Amino acid sequence: MMIHGELKNIKKSVLESLEGLYELAVPAGQLVTREISELMLAVTAELQREVAVYINRQGKVLQVSVGDDATVDLPEIRQRKSENRLSGVRCVHTHPSSDTRLSAPDLSSLRSMRFDVMAAIGMKDGKIYGSMAFLSGELTESGGYVVHGTKELPIGDLNRYNLMQLVTAINKELGRNQLKETEKRQERAILAGVDYNASAGGWSIEDSLTELKGLAETAGAQVAGKVIQRKAKPDNAFFLGRGKVDEIGMLAQNVEADLLIVDDEISPSQQRNLEMSTGLRVVDRTALILDIFAQRARSAAGKLQVELAQLRYNLPRLGGQGLVLSRQGGGIGTRGPGETKLEMDRRRIHGRIHDLEERIAKLKNQRQLHRAQRKNSRIPTAALVGYTNAGKSTLLNALAAGDEVLAEDKLFATLDPTTRLVELDEKQELLLTDTVGFIQKLPHTLVSAFQATLEETVEADLLLHVVDASDANYELQIKAVMEVLSEIGAQDKPSVFVFNKADKLPEAEQDNEYVAARMLQGRDGVVISAKDEQGLKMLREKIKGFFNQGQVTLTLCIPYDQGALVTELHNLGKVETIDYDEQGTLLTVKMPVSDAESFQKYVR
């Protein structure tokens, strides 16, 4: 019979004694026999190490393990494990000290392995004492199971508990609760970030993780915990330090997490190492954002661009994405043709990327035609840009006529660009486009894939840069948006800053000129609420002022034999009125000052 664990420097006679445990049996319903307890405690006294036995419900010893003075390895028990049933195995182990209270690692093991019972025994004044704990089947608010336990008792008192009745009652309760939870079960995530350069970008690690929490919840996960590490630089192997990785593994057991989200883009090898060390599925910030975009894409163009971004992200990770994509990791579900299969996958992905790029190029050409038509109409254009959840869609709905676009208090509520006609006044109109929100650490693969969509921003006559005035980090958000605008070549576009959500400011700061001046810092813009009509009127006036700047209104008489000029005027400016007399066509036209000089001889 095999003894597991740390066996270095253990005498052969001691190992033989431990092997004898496999020959002993425990009566049904009883925790452990005195004979097994005495043998385990004798070895512990000699080695000053923990000894553990794992016993099934028939009373057979399945495995014997030896640890160090603090803990013992968990077994690899080939028992059927189910979310709504216990494992069918109980763990009884010794504590080298006389304190038999169950430790945090003991309770974590109970939860993760779903043991029938976790028990610790020790010797006090020549007598055997112990304590035990078990899952109650009752759910906590966070979705985990409540643990009940006993105080320290003589071994005889512990054996008076009827384990078979206890296990039957727990399984019944587990099954009931699991049925209730199955439909609403969310992925439970732990967030992890490294504060390796507090001044980088100006974001604190706490603020960055708060934003990551919003992203995780938008994606549909339930955040069960977060871990922050302060290091000079990320660890090459794990991104996080090895000690912090162990802490995450323990925390995951306690909160029953199944997902680790890292607040940076990590390498394929770091992802794989984290998955192997924690037993969790690991995604980084980039993968999380891509997942949200995949959920939000509605149009054909949006879906194509999201798929392209995901393929570009996953391509270098084919051979090293740990528990998710690796075909070379070994073990059940990972064996196969290996490198040959990987190369086939790579070729397929390269082919699919090429196909998507061609289809997106065609969509890009179609968008250019639509933009050309809009330009020919001489209706000015503007694009709403800004940090995600700044209120761009709400602002579009407030300004525009027609069907409302989706506006939610969520990150990336808008993905596909939407254009609406806005009436600035009775004579002036504007085509306003709502665009996808930006965010700090926006994946480069996403910016590259969404070039066709982001061109709406590049081609607009004016950018309305929407800022959440109620967010303490609005300056950092402006900086993040400007970085993306620079990346797509739109950093020099004329802009009007719209500090939105002024209604969420403290009452003393609302309608306060000093506060507005402090926010704008000399930038051309307004501080408003999209829900306030007076603020919207201010914004309309600001937009009208921009488009009227450098424009002149002329009344012209074009002779009938020069009818081509009438067509040119329609293309060049906004024809406000048209009439006819015996001398020619009478037009009132608003046009740029630079073009007005050539028509001076037709002015009336």
Side-chain angles (χ1 to χ4, degrees):
M1 295 291 185
M2 183 176 178
I3 307 300
H4 298 259
E6 181 56 57
L7 307 182
K8 191 176 180 180
N9 299 325
I10 297 180
K11 296 177 184 177
K12 184 178 179 180
S13 59
V14 174
L15 291 175
E16 289 174 349
S17 296
L18 290 172
E19 288 172 357
L21 289 169
Y22 285 106
E23 306 301 325
L24 303 177
V26 180
Q30 189 173 313
L31 176 66
V32 67
T33 63
R34 182 173 293 276
E35 184 179 8
I36 290 176
S37 301
E38 288 174 345
L39 199 159
M40 291 170 64
L41 288 168
V43 173
T44 293
E46 181 173 345
L47 301 178
Q48 285 301 298
R49 298 185 192 176
E50 285 194 6
V51 176
V53 294
Y54 303 94
I55 306 167
N56 66 16
R57 289 178 190 159
Q58 291 71 45
K60 178 178 174 58
V61 175
L62 301 176
Q63 185 172 310
V64 179
S65 297
V66 179
D68 53 30
D69 59 352
T71 187
V72 66
D73 290 339
L74 291 175
E76 294 181 9
I77 299 171
R78 293 183 177 87
Q79 295 285 114
R80 181 172 65 87
K81 292 176 71 175
S82 167
E83 286 292 316
N84 60 348
R85 297 189 69 79
L86 298 175
S87 67
V89 176
R90 60 185 175 273
C91 172
V92 181
H93 67 289
T94 61
H95 281 177
S97 67
S98 58
D99 186 355
T100 66
R101 289 176 297 179
L102 292 166
S103 64
D106 292 337
L107 298 179
S108 292
S109 300
L110 171 65
R111 291 188 179 95
S112 65
M113 298 295 291
R114 293 188 178 273
F115 288 128
D116 287 0
V117 169
M118 169 65 76
I121 58 175
M123 188 72 75
K124 275 188 178 181
D125 302 323
K127 295 182 180 180
I128 301 173
Y129 283 82
S131 60
M132 68 179 188
F134 47 88
L135 300 178
S136 69
E138 176 187 356
L139 287 169
T140 64
E141 289 184 2
S142 63
Y145 287 104
V146 174
V147 172
H148 287 311
T150 68
K151 61 182 180 180
E152 191 175 62
L153 296 169
I155 192 67
D157 290 347
L158 286 178
N159 277 329
R160 290 193 182 95
Y161 282 85
N162 190 315
L163 292 190
M164 296 308 294
Q165 290 182 5
L166 179 65
V167 166
T168 300
I170 294 172
N171 276 335
K172 197 173 191 179
E173 188 65 20
L174 284 171
R176 253 199 314 267
N177 283 318
Q178 191 62 33
L179 286 173
K180 294 177 188 175
E181 290 295 304
T182 297
E183 289 187 2
K184 60 180 182 179
R185 169 70 175 170
Q186 290 178 285
E187 286 184 287
R188 293 176 57 76
I190 294 173
L191 311 181
V194 175
D195 186 10
Y196 54 87
N197 189 351
S199 62
W203 291 87
S204 71
I205 187 64
E206 289 79 10
D207 287 338
S208 192
L209 282 184
T210 298
E211 184 176 84
L212 188 69
K213 180 175 183 286
L215 288 169
E217 290 172 345
T218 299
Q222 180 182 5
V223 176
K226 69 177 181 178
V227 173
I228 295 175
Q229 181 160 42
R230 306 187 191 276
K231 285 174 65 73
K233 63 178 183 178
D235 184 80
N236 289 334
F238 291 90
F239 187 77
L240 302 156
R242 287 166 175 77
K244 194 62 69 172
V245 172
D246 293 339
E247 181 184 323
I248 289 171
M250 189 68 67
L251 176 61
Q253 293 179 20
N254 288 332
V255 300
E256 296 195 350
D258 40 34
L259 178 65
L260 173 64
I261 303 175
V262 182
D263 189 35
D264 274 284
E265 185 167 330
I266 58 177
S267 69
S269 62
Q270 288 171 331
Q271 180 179 355
R272 179 179 177 81
N273 291 339
L274 283 171
E275 287 183 337
M276 293 304 177
S277 297
T278 63
L280 301 173
R281 192 163 59 83
V282 176
V283 299
D284 60 16
R285 187 184 183 95
T286 298
L288 179 62
I289 293 173
L290 288 172
D291 184 84
I292 295 171
F293 272 53
Q295 293 181 46
R296 294 283 179 176
R298 293 291 179 269
S299 70
K303 291 175 181 178
L304 289 176
Q305 290 172 118
V306 170
E307 184 183 354
L308 178 59
Q310 287 180 320
L311 289 175
R312 286 175 173 170
Y313 171 79
N314 285 322
L315 184 59
R317 288 166 167 76
L318 266 184
Q321 209 173 20
L323 302 179
V324 182
L325 288 180
S326 175
R327 299 179 187 275
Q328 299 175 327
I332 296 172
T334 63
R335 286 183 277 264
E339 201 59 40
T340 301
K341 177 63 175 172
L342 283 174
E343 287 306 318
M344 290 172 63
D345 285 347
R346 287 192 181 98
R347 283 196 294 273
R348 289 194 189 101
I349 289 178
H350 279 299
R352 181 60 177 164
I353 287 175
H354 179 71
D355 179 52
L356 288 172
E357 287 174 339
E358 286 188 340
R359 294 172 67 182
I360 289 172
K362 290 179 182 178
L363 289 171
K364 182 178 176 181
N365 292 334
Q366 291 174 7
R367 287 183 184 278
Q368 287 176 340
L369 289 174
H370 293 157
R371 282 195 294 268
Q373 291 171 355
R374 290 201 295 264
K375 284 185 177 181
N376 289 335
S377 71
R378 304 305 297 175
I379 299 177
T381 61
L384 292 162
V385 300
Y387 209 77
T388 182
N389 205 31
K392 297 184 293 299
S393 298
T394 301
L395 192 61
L396 179 65
N397 288 334
L399 290 171
D403 297 334
E404 292 196 347
V405 298
L406 176 67
E408 291 183 283
D409 188 18
K410 286 185 177 180
L411 302 176
F412 298 116
T414 300
L415 180 56
D416 299 308
T418 304
T419 301
R420 292 285 185 270
L421 184 68
V422 175
E423 292 185 356
L424 298 175
D425 58 26
E426 293 180 357
K427 297 181 179 180
Q428 194 165 1
E429 295 175 330
L430 171 74
L431 286 173
L432 185 59
T433 300
D434 188 14
T435 63
V436 62
F438 301 147
I439 198 168
Q440 62 143 337
K441 305 177 188 175
L442 188 67
H444 178 75
T445 52
L446 205 56
V447 176
S448 176
F450 272 71
Q451 283 291 347
T453 296
L454 294 172
E455 279 184 355
E456 296 291 338
T457 301
V458 179
E459 296 293 333
D461 298 317
L462 173 68
L463 301 184
L464 298 183
H465 188 152
V466 185
V467 183
D468 183 352
S470 66
D471 194 303
N473 290 318
Y474 66 80
E475 284 293 347
L476 295 175
Q477 293 180 353
I478 290 173
K479 182 180 177 183
V481 172
M482 295 306 295
E483 287 173 355
V484 179
L485 290 177
S486 178
E487 190 171 347
I488 63 176
Q491 71 275 19
D492 296 325
K493 278 281 177 183
S495 299
V496 170
F497 284 82
V498 184
F499 282 79
N500 190 26
K501 303 187 182 182
D503 56 311
K504 292 188 176 182
L505 291 171
E507 191 171 344
E509 296 185 12
Q510 296 180 23
D511 300 319
N512 186 311
E513 292 183 7
Y514 171 76
V515 173
R518 185 193 68 203
M519 288 183 176
L520 291 170
Q521 294 185 11
R523 293 174 288 225
D524 186 23
V526 292
V527 180
I528 65 165
S529 167
K531 299 177 181 178
D532 175 45
E533 188 56 44
Q534 186 62 33
L536 293 173
K537 184 178 179 182
M538 287 172 54
L539 178 57
R540 285 190 176 94
E541 290 299 321
K542 179 67 71 173
I543 297 171
K544 281 169 59 179
F546 170 81
F547 285 109
N548 288 334
Q549 184 179 7
Q551 301 250 329
V552 63
T553 301
L554 301 177
T555 300
L556 306 174
C557 179
I558 306 298
Y560 288 116
D561 61 354
Q562 298 182 42
L565 289 178
V566 176
T567 303
E568 184 180 343
L569 285 167
H570 276 283
N571 292 332
L572 185 64
K574 182 176 177 61
V575 176
E576 296 182 343
T577 65
I578 186 167
D579 202 354
Y580 306 93
D581 65 13
E582 64 277 3
Q583 295 181 1
T585 305
L586 301 174
L587 303 101
T588 304
V589 185
K590 181 181 286 186
M591 68 175 69
V593 173
S594 57
D595 294 318
E597 187 175 348
S598 59
F599 291 93
Q600 286 300 315
K601 63 181 179 180
Y602 303 109
V603 173
R604 270 207 174 180

